[in-house]
Amino acid sequence: MPIMEFPICVTCGVQYGAPRPDCPICEDERQYVGWEGQRWTSLEELGAAGHRARIEDEGLDVVGIGTEPSIAIGQRALLLRTPAGNVLWDMVTYIDNDVIREVNDLGGVDAIAISHPHYYGTMVEWAHAFGAPVYIHEADRRWVARPDDAVVFWTGDTCEIAEGVTLINAGVHFDGGQVLHWRDARALFSGDILQVVNDRDWVSFMYSYPNFIPERPRTVRRALRLLEPYDFDRVYGAWWRKIVYADGKNAVRRSADRYLEYALDDE
């Protein structure tokens, strides 16, 4: 795979389609510009600095894909090995020929879906490497930093991208913030739209994590309504082992109840 020298923001890890002086994703109030100012890197520079893939199981037919040393926000992606094809949930920045070979050994990628703009990473590189579409909610179209025909924008509340694999526009954190439900695995993949916290029996809801801005109660209530028809035991968060392992649906419900109890009600 030829490595394209598109610029990558050091703070968020998102790749842009052309050089520019700023990163709008980091200048938004939900993120931040690094304390040393706006800085850029590239896939070639990251490879030369010794970054490599970390690939290991995170559950039955769920494989984590991360990077060591960690890059930017430090999330890991998840490869869902479903009967209808492999779905890559969320995204990391680093990709090279070794990563592609290892993922192909696992069956490749048939579709990609990403929870929100902070995790867009090098999604176009991944889409091209595996010939896979990237599903993004229409409400977050303006945050796509490298437009490409591989990006598929969907509208509405839900979108089934494979048999039993459904995206849900929870709208937490970003208007287009989406989670993924895998029916057969009885699992919800939430990124940090529903953030699995260190006490892994709970999740939380934030408009901005680094700047500690809470999410609006009406947004949390809407997300709960949309999730109600779906059953799930596990909730997979954005980082290694950040997983609610059992009773996930009740964990989300009681977490929302606790959050709303402490939040200032806006209705």
Side-chain angles (χ1 to χ4, degrees), residues 64-219:
I65 303 173
T67 308
E68 291 185 342
S70 178
I71 295 171
I73 296 172
Q75 76 278 4
R76 55 95 175 91
L78 293 168
L79 186 69
L80 286 50
R81 305 179 73 185
T82 88
N86 286 0
V87 176
L88 184 65
W89 168 248
D90 271 339
M91 179 57 53
V92 292
T93 297
Y94 191 68
I95 180 173
D96 62 14
N97 289 329
D98 290 337
V99 179
I100 294 169
R101 183 167 48 253
E102 289 188 67
V103 173
N104 275 328
D105 287 345
L106 294 167
V109 177
D110 298 290
I112 300 168
I114 305 172
S115 58
H116 70 292
H118 293 155
Y119 293 170
Y120 284 173
T122 55
M123 63 182 183
V124 174
E125 300 282 356
W126 285 78
H128 290 177
F130 296 101
V134 182
Y135 291 92
I136 301 292
H137 195 275
E138 173 69 29
D140 283 345
R141 177 189 287 265
R142 72 187 183 98
W143 298 107
V144 173
R146 183 182 167 189
D148 190 89
D149 289 343
V151 181
V152 177
F153 296 101
W154 66 278
T155 60
D157 293 336
T158 63
C159 177
E160 188 175 57
I161 61 173
E163 176 64 30
V165 180
T166 303
L167 295 175
I168 303 163
N169 172 225
V172 175
H173 196 29
F174 277 80
D175 290 344
Q178 57 188 13
V179 297
L180 183 149
H181 180 260
W182 181 6
R183 181 191 60 208
D184 294 348
R186 294 184 58 84
L188 188 74
F189 299 81
S190 68
D192 60 6
I193 304 304
L194 313 180
Q195 176 73 278
V196 177
V197 297
N198 285 334
D199 181 353
R200 291 175 298 172
D201 290 331
W202 301 83
V203 302
S204 194
F205 315 82
M206 294 289 280
Y207 180 75
S208 169
Y209 290 95
N211 300 322
F212 302 110
I213 306 173
E215 188 50 89
R216 293 164 287 250
R218 65 175 179 270
T219 301

Side-chain angles (χ1 to χ4, degrees), residues 8 65 72 76 115 147 171 176 207 216 230 240 243 252 255 264:
I8 294 170
I65 303 173
R76 55 95 175 91
S115 58
Y207 180 75
R216 293 164 287 250
Y230 300 91
W240 295 103
I243 302 168
V252 170
S255 296
L264 177 63

